[in-house]
Amino acid sequence: SSALRPRREAWTLMRQNRLFTGIYVVGTGLSIALVMTLFIIFYVKFGPVYPEYNRDRTLVVKPVKRYPKGKPENWNIYGGVAYYVVDQMLPGLPHVERVAGSMIDFWENYQVSATDVKPFKAVPRFANGAFWEVFSFRFTDGRPFTQEDVEARARVAVIGESLARRLFATTEGVTGRHFSFNGRDYRVCGVVQDVSNATPNTAGDLWVPLFNAQYISKELDRHGLLGNVYAYLLVDDAENLEAVRGEVQAWPRRVTELRGDALRKRLRNGASP
């Protein structure tokens, strides 16, 4: 009975002070719920979740600024970097295993349709071949497109399960079937489990070869290193992230120096600037 006495006293106090007891219980419950919510948010944002399981050794290169010489206030910025950076500059850095490039176009009203299915809006993500090696998608059917498909501007696409159901009323045996994407005929090369918008670097309704997007060029144009592509660097070990980060921050200066050397060489050979 002595062991039960503290419990009886506690229940007696709770019945006598119901208002304060309710406040304490609700306050404790809200505090626990808030902590759990914050934990879930931070885990989804920074933890290894589908399909971004390699976050602990992935660096992202997003928009860069360009400052004109002598007029630093007149800087330019685009939505990302030029594909030349993804294709030619970043892959040669030490400790970098793969360099993925992708972009998502929010300005264009992309639509998809299929036989007996009216057109409806879908969000495509344009990506290169290495995108499927940096990020770990779960394929339920088919396979990803390759870099050769990207170079050839092949009209193929990987689609999510939800889009497959809307287009073909099934997720099985979809590989090889055709659908219309923005008025053009495309073939499904693979189906993946849906990706949540909580992972914005990989989310989309369908994934299309990068060169099928507008304004994407393999060579540098008048905008230089500015472009619309995000670069994702898969580093061999998390311990080398800072070393790679330093290399990435240094490459714009090296590009400027290389361009200056090339211009001086042309001038020595008698060519016009």
Side-chain angles (χ1 to χ4, degrees):
S1 58
S2 60
L4 297 175
R5 185 177 302 169
R7 298 183 183 180
R8 295 195 187 101
E9 293 177 354
W11 279 110
T12 301
L13 290 173
M14 290 174 64
R15 286 195 297 268
Q16 292 176 352
N17 301 277
R18 295 183 180 181
L19 175 61
F20 291 106
T21 299
I23 293 175
Y24 294 151
V25 171
V26 173
T28 302
L30 288 176
S31 299
I32 295 174
L34 178 61
V35 171
M36 292 180 63
T37 301
L38 289 175
F39 175 80
I40 293 172
I41 291 174
F42 276 95
Y43 184 81
V44 171
K45 188 172 180 62
F46 300 107
V49 296
Y50 171 79
E52 301 175 12
Y53 293 117
N54 295 318
R55 283 177 170 177
D56 62 327
R57 57 189 186 100
T58 301
L59 290 176
V60 185
V61 180
K62 292 188 176 182
V64 296
K65 288 183 179 180
R66 179 175 63 186
Y67 297 90
K69 187 175 181 180
K71 296 182 178 180
E73 69 280 0
N74 295 336
W75 52 268
N76 306 105
I77 189 170
Y78 274 58
V81 298
Y83 181 71
Y84 182 87
V85 175
V86 176
D87 185 48
Q88 297 294 326
M89 298 177 63
L90 297 179
L93 296 180
H95 306 296
V96 175
E97 292 184 347
R98 295 287 185 276
V99 181
S102 78
M103 65 163 287
I104 193 163
D105 189 352
F106 293 104
W107 298 276
E108 183 75 18
N109 184 27
Y110 292 98
Q111 291 191 333
V112 297
S113 63
T115 304
D116 299 327
V117 177
K118 294 182 179 180
F120 59 91
K121 187 176 180 180
V123 179
R125 178 173 293 276
F126 300 91
N128 68 345
F131 181 82
W132 306 107
E133 299 177 73
V134 174
F135 301 108
S136 305
F137 285 77
R138 299 192 191 106
F139 278 80
T140 60
D141 193 22
R143 60 169 182 81
F145 53 78
T146 65
Q147 184 60 27
E148 287 73 20
D149 294 325
V150 176
E151 301 282 348
R153 301 179 185 270
R155 293 181 183 176
V156 295
V158 173
I159 64 176
E161 290 182 320
S162 294
L163 183 60
R165 293 188 188 96
R166 292 191 67 179
L167 289 173
F168 308 112
T170 182
T171 60
E172 299 179 359
V174 172
T175 299
R177 299 184 66 172
H178 290 250
F179 69 100
S180 176
F181 172 59
N182 241 29
R184 295 186 174 183
D185 182 69
Y186 271 71
R187 176 177 57 84
V188 177
C189 64
V191 180
V192 295
Q193 291 185 12
D194 290 335
V195 180
S196 169
N197 288 326
T199 55
N201 288 318
T202 49
D205 296 318
L206 68 160
W207 294 260
V208 182
L210 185 60
F211 286 166
N212 291 18
Q214 300 183 63
Y215 316 120
I216 299 297
S217 172
K218 191 172 183 178
E219 304 298 331
L220 287 177
D221 56 18
R222 62 186 179 87
H223 301 294
L225 301 181
L226 301 183
N228 296 309
V229 181
Y230 279 10
Y232 304 91
L233 288 73
L234 183 62
V235 181
D236 56 5
D237 194 290
E239 295 181 355
N240 297 320
L241 285 176
E242 290 305 316
V244 175
R245 194 191 310 273
E247 290 287 337
V248 172
Q249 292 173 346
W251 58 249
R253 185 185 71 251
R254 290 201 296 268
V255 170
T256 302
E257 294 172 353
L258 289 173
R259 284 189 165 185
D261 293 341
L263 178 59
R264 286 190 290 271
K265 183 177 181 181
R266 291 183 61 188
L267 292 174
R268 284 197 301 268
N269 294 335
S272 58

